Amino acid sequence: MSTRKPSFQNPKPCEHLSDFKLKHGLNGFNLIEKYFKTSPNGRLSLNRDESKIPRCHFCSGYQGRLYFCLICSKISCSDSNHALLHTQSENGHAIAMDLERSELYCCVCSDQAYDSDFDRFVICKQIMDLPKSESSKDSIRERPMKKKRLVYGVVGSDLKYSKRLISAKDGRLKSCLPWGLRGLNNLGNTCFMNSVLQALLHTPPFMNYFLSDRHNHMTCRRRSAQGLCLPCDIDVIFSAVFSGERTPYSPAQFLYSWWQHAANLASYEQQDAHEFFVSMLDRIHEREGKATFPHKDDTDCLCIAHRVFSGLLRSDVTCTACGFTSSTYDPCVDISLDLDTSTWCSMDGANMSFKQNESTSISTLLGCLELFTRPERLGSDQKLYCQNCKERQDSLKQMSFKRLPLVLCFHIKRFEHSPIRKMSRKIDRHLQFPFTLDMAPYLSASIVRKRFGNRMFTLDNDYSDAPTEYEIFAVVTHSGMLESGHYVTYVRLKNQWYKCDDAWITEVDEHVVRASQCYLMYYVQKVLVQRASEDLSCLPMSPRHSNVLPIAGCC
Amino acid sequence: MKRRRFRVRHSVNRPPTPDAADDQQKQPSLHEIINIKMIESGEKERLMELLKERLIDCGWKDEMQNLCRAFIKKEGRNNVTLDELIRAITPKGRASVPDSVKAELLQRIQTFLVSAAL
């Protein structure tokens, strides 16, 4: 059980539950064990008598919630306090169990009760009942702790380097803008590149890596036969942008280099920023990852691109006929989300009709994440092979986050392709996004736990103590149409938002960012930001001794 | 509860007064019969799953969760019992089920009844 969040505490047992546990221990649970039945959807319910439907002892009702007394096995229903009646007529019979859900209920308190022993008992029963393959135990096995520490440890040492770096360059600041902000010239429809570069230039772990000279373009030995090394070109940009110079920089060398890598995209046509971002990470991995860590796959790769952005997604496919679930893990460097165009039913008193009201409901990032992790019923044309049934069955698919990366990149799928009409269109729908994000409810541990009902037990101990709170630091926005549009990036430095529109950098208010049409959103783990601000808070960002001159192209 | 007593003769050997439970079991309502048939055939479980899916899709479940949160926030986290919450939310929940969902389920039940040849 994880107790890392101070706001959430496991509820304390009421006196009746404590009494019951003292007197009867686990006997009550063991007696009913043989009557449990797990349905394919994962629900554990109690079924005492196969021939009769369960009825309330007092009113013979069979509707609503039915509670099964753990001492005398009498059933009471939730109507008119029949459960309370039971405990009044028979002293000491306080604890009952919800027949349908297998959850504990205290009849005296009229409230749900939680007990970790009971939860463990129930979940074990459920897991044993559900069909499994021989190798399924792997999915619940703990990963070695070493890996976890390695990822976090690296960042800590980076910060020490950057601290020294900042104090050295402080004297060269020439304007009122913070260090590290510099416009990028548009070299011909290259706003897609500039926007992603601006976001990466301010991605904390990425920034620290290059600024602490971990990849020096002058001493690099990893160049390919043609003398190409994308990380070197990135290092050049970092040096240029963080040099203190304020005139807009032209990343021509980088563009040329990238064209060499991706010959098919070498043109002045507009490109997609997300595609560019992914291809950039790929190129960095090629240079760094494959060369130095040839035997590791994507999940363990230690190249800077993967160390910063790589997370692990879990995909569970459940057979609706027998309940067998198979899980697969895939690494990812970003998460592509569909917009949640939820259709709300109107809640006015008089109006009870169902409306397809897309205009009144708002899409939110959390809504998109809910949609992403919601169990999806695959159509009957997509029947998947079930190892247990040995045939194709209707299945449910559910995604969740097994391991979160240091930096999360959300990609909003704003381009809709219609195969019927053979055209694509852009979805301009506004998406509301938070500045702080807690990914805990979308972790595999949380998602899987929900399948077993209201429980306190945590199955997945891997990464359950890993940080889940994130802070936004960059948003790449798109305006315009599918064929011709413009990308602009908003970056947040020390709680101030800056608009990076190619060569022009301006200070903007929060609400401008919130109102923008987000396309790519970058969130960094809160712990990294906190640590950074602790280290650097003492250093002045705007020098008091030099002449403050606003320079054309910046303010 | 009204019962016709035209032909009952008072007699010494009058049978004992039946209690409530027996009475209900003697005359199961149509509602009960249908319910039992649906449970036995497994149709009820299938319909419950379908209903859950539809209510999630149309946003009803999210709306209910918001109502629960608002209620708990108002009353205080430690002052709300499960029963009170259910009592507060149920009427609103029942009232806001979209008509299309109701229609679909009624259609399914009708189909079931026809096939069960009641």
Side-chain angles (χ1 to χ4, degrees):
Chain A
M1 282 187 289
S2 59
T3 47
R4 56 193 159 85
K5 284 181 69 127
S7 56
F8 170 78
Q9 273 155 11
N10 287 324
K12 293 200 176 65
C14 65
E15 52 172 299
H16 314 105
L17 179 62
S18 313
D19 275 345
F20 176 86
K21 287 290 290 287
L22 272 172
K23 266 195 216 152
H24 306 274
L26 299 174
N27 293 342
F29 309 154
N30 294 334
L31 285 171
I32 51 173
E33 189 181 343
K34 47 185 176 288
Y35 299 119
F36 275 127
K37 191 180 75 145
T38 307
S39 60
N41 66 358
R43 268 264 175 109
L44 193 73
S45 51
L46 199 73
N47 201 346
R48 273 237 302 179
D49 198 337
E50 289 280 345
S51 60
K52 291 192 290 193
I53 57 168
R55 285 173 182 278
C56 173
H57 173 72
F58 294 99
C59 67
S60 294
Y62 52 85
Q63 295 183 309
R65 292 184 180 222
L66 294 171
Y67 297 112
F68 177 86
C69 176
L70 286 180
I71 296 179
C72 67
S73 306
K74 287 214 178 104
I75 296 172
S76 344
C77 72
S78 50
D79 271 350
S80 327
N81 297 323
H82 287 168
L84 193 62
L85 267 181
H86 175 73
T87 195
Q88 282 168 348
S89 60
E90 322 247 12
N91 209 2
H93 293 208
I95 305 298
M97 194 185 77
D98 184 320
L99 275 184
E100 203 192 316
R101 295 168 184 77
S102 302
E103 286 167 12
L104 291 178
Y105 179 81
C106 174
C107 303
V108 182
C109 302
S110 297
D111 201 5
Q112 187 145 9
Y114 299 93
D115 182 65
S116 49
D117 288 326
F118 177 74
D119 284 348
R120 203 172 296 140
F121 170 80
V122 160
I123 292 179
C124 283
K125 188 85 181 62
Q126 269 180 293
I127 293 177
M128 288 199 308
D129 277 356
L130 287 174
K132 301 176 284 298
S133 71
E134 305 78 51
S135 57
S136 71
K137 295 186 199 73
D138 293 351
S139 53
I140 314 181
R141 191 191 298 160
E142 276 191 46
R143 278 174 155 234
M145 292 298 277
K146 249 203 234 170
K147 255 168 241 170
K148 194 164 98 169
R149 283 203 210 105
L150 187 65
V151 174
Y152 299 126
V154 156
V155 177
S157 59
D158 283 342
L159 285 169
K160 288 199 207 110
Y161 282 113
S162 58
K163 195 170 163 185
R164 269 184 258 149
L165 227 47
I166 290 170
S167 46
K169 295 199 173 170
D170 210 15
R172 286 206 265 162
L173 284 174
K174 284 182 191 168
S175 89
C176 48
L177 284 184
W179 183 55
L181 271 183
R182 191 171 174 185
L184 297 171
N185 282 321
N186 189 318
L187 307 171
N189 282 332
T190 58
C191 60
F192 70 92
M193 179 180 86
N194 289 344
S195 55
V196 172
L197 280 177
Q198 288 287 13
L200 287 174
L201 282 167
H202 297 98
T203 298
F206 216 69
M207 194 173 92
N208 294 335
Y209 180 85
F210 283 100
L211 290 181
S212 46
D213 238 13
R214 299 287 274 267
H215 189 113
N216 192 318
H217 62 276
M218 293 188 272
T219 59
C220 174
R221 276 175 231 155
R222 296 190 204 124
R223 287 180 188 273
S224 71
Q226 296 85 22
L228 292 173
C229 176
L230 206 75
C232 281
D233 300 310
I234 297 173
D235 189 45
V236 169
I237 298 183
F238 265 101
S239 306
V241 167
F242 284 83
S243 65
E245 287 288 332
R246 292 302 176 178
T247 54
Y249 175 70
S250 292
Q253 175 62 39
F254 177 83
L255 180 65
Y256 178 71
S257 212
W258 184 65
W259 278 348
Q260 305 280 80
H261 285 114
N264 58 323
L265 299 167
S267 73
Y268 282 110
E269 278 170 14
Q270 299 202 13
Q271 312 288 352
D272 179 56
H274 175 245
E275 262 183 56
F276 170 73
F277 171 66
V278 173
S279 85
M280 235 186 97
L281 293 186
D282 259 346
R283 302 286 170 242
I284 296 173
H285 169 72
E286 255 179 36
R287 278 293 127 231
E288 282 217 2
K290 281 193 187 152
T292 37
F293 313 105
H295 302 296
K296 305 231 178 182
D297 60 6
D298 278 358
T299 49
D300 302 334
C301 177
L302 293 174
C303 75
I304 187 63
H306 285 120
R307 264 189 309 173
V308 176
F309 290 101
S310 182
L312 205 60
L313 276 179
R314 173 172 162 163
S315 167
D316 290 328
V317 175
T318 309
C319 170
T320 52
C322 68
F324 175 75
T325 304
S326 81
S327 311
T328 47
Y329 296 93
D330 293 302
C332 64
V333 293
D334 66 323
I335 296 124
S336 291
L337 297 170
D338 285 300
L339 280 166
D340 71 331
T341 45
S342 52
T343 43
W344 283 105
C345 31
S346 191
M347 291 296 289
D348 317 349
N351 187 359
M352 294 189 214
S353 63
F354 176 58
K355 278 192 199 163
Q356 280 265 351
N357 239 336
E358 277 198 26
S359 51
T360 54
S361 64
I362 311 164
S363 283
T364 61
L365 179 65
L366 294 179
C368 294
L369 282 167
E370 289 276 325
L371 193 65
F372 184 74
T373 54
R374 186 180 291 178
E376 183 194 335
R377 198 166 278 269
L378 300 175
S380 38
D381 55 332
Q382 292 170 300
K383 287 197 191 188
L384 293 176
Y385 182 77
C386 170
Q387 287 175 31
N388 193 53
C389 301
K390 307 253 188 288
E391 60 172 315
R392 285 183 178 268
Q393 299 279 19
D394 280 331
S395 321
L396 280 174
K397 187 172 102 150
Q398 188 172 35
M399 306 291 298
S400 54
F401 294 91
K402 172 76 177 168
R403 190 185 71 211
L404 292 168
L406 291 183
V407 176
L408 269 171
C409 171
F410 291 115
H411 166 233
I412 308 298
K413 295 194 207 166
R414 284 192 178 279
F415 306 116
E416 198 178 53
H417 301 283
S418 160
I420 314 153
R421 292 191 213 154
K422 292 212 170 97
M423 33 179 261
S424 325
R425 70 176 182 103
K426 186 187 167 204
I427 308 168
D428 280 310
R429 188 185 172 90
H430 180 254
L431 181 77
Q432 209 181 66
F433 54 94
F435 284 2
T436 53
L437 176 66
D438 188 358
M439 291 293 288
Y442 312 108
L443 285 178
S444 297
S446 312
I447 299 282
V448 171
R449 176 171 49 188
K450 272 192 228 170
R451 290 191 199 140
F452 295 104
N454 291 323
R455 310 281 167 214
M456 294 206 297
F457 193 75
T458 319
L459 278 173
D460 201 354
N461 286 317
D462 318 352
Y463 310 107
S464 58
D465 290 328
T468 58
E469 290 181 2
Y470 285 79
E471 289 265 337
I472 197 170
F473 65 91
V475 183
V476 173
T477 65
H478 185 266
S479 53
M481 300 185 299
L482 197 69
E483 306 301 324
S484 59
H486 185 56
Y487 286 103
V488 165
T489 302
Y490 293 97
V491 292
R492 182 162 79 162
L493 271 70
K494 295 217 154 227
N495 272 325
Q496 173 64 51
W497 283 97
Y498 296 90
K499 177 179 177 182
C500 305
D501 184 352
D502 286 332
W504 292 271
I505 311 235
T506 45
E507 267 184 20
V508 290
D509 274 337
E510 214 179 85
H511 67 87
V512 172
V513 182
R514 287 194 195 275
S516 65
Q517 193 187 92
C518 53
Y519 181 56
L520 295 172
M521 289 171 289
Y522 293 86
Y523 288 81
V524 66
Q525 276 180 9
K526 213 169 188 171
V527 290
L528 299 182
V529 174
Q530 280 169 350
R531 237 187 283 164
S533 62
E534 275 160 24
D535 284 348
L536 310 172
S537 57
C538 47
L539 297 168
M541 273 318 219
S542 50
R544 289 167 217 118
H545 53 270
S546 69
N547 295 323
V548 176
L549 285 173
I551 295 179
C554 286
C555 294
Chain B
M1 173 123 148
K2 268 194 151 181
R3 282 156 97 226
R4 291 197 188 156
R5 288 186 189 272
F6 298 136
R7 307 236 171 98
V8 170
R9 307 255 180 261
H10 287 283
S11 114
V12 181
N13 296 322
R14 198 170 74 182
T17 320
D19 61 333
D22 282 353
D23 203 46
Q24 277 171 331
Q25 274 172 1
K26 266 190 203 152
Q27 297 172 350
S29 64
L30 186 61
H31 186 279
E32 276 192 43
I33 298 172
I34 297 175
N35 188 62
I36 293 169
K37 274 257 182 291
M38 291 213 312
I39 294 174
E40 285 173 358
S41 64
E43 179 71 5
K44 187 159 193 198
E45 205 175 305
R46 282 190 285 273
L47 288 178
M48 286 294 252
E49 283 305 309
L50 175 68
L51 177 62
K52 278 184 201 155
E53 211 182 295
R54 294 285 181 262
L55 288 176
I56 291 172
D57 287 341
C58 74
W60 181 92
K61 185 177 176 188
D62 293 329
E63 185 61 28
M64 285 303 118
Q65 273 186 328
N66 291 338
L67 285 178
C68 288
R69 279 194 202 109
F71 182 80
I72 293 170
K73 205 168 174 182
K74 195 177 101 177
E75 302 294 320
R77 204 156 61 136
N78 298 323
N79 300 336
V80 178
T81 66
L82 182 67
D83 280 10
E84 284 165 6
L85 188 63
I86 294 174
R87 239 176 287 147
I89 303 294
T90 304
K92 297 185 196 174
R94 291 221 168 104
S96 64
V97 175
D99 284 347
S100 62
V101 178
K102 286 186 196 165
E104 186 178 354
L105 275 149
L106 280 170
Q107 179 68 44
R108 283 284 293 259
I109 296 171
Q110 239 177 349
T111 315
F112 169 78
L113 288 177
V114 164
S115 69
L118 268 173

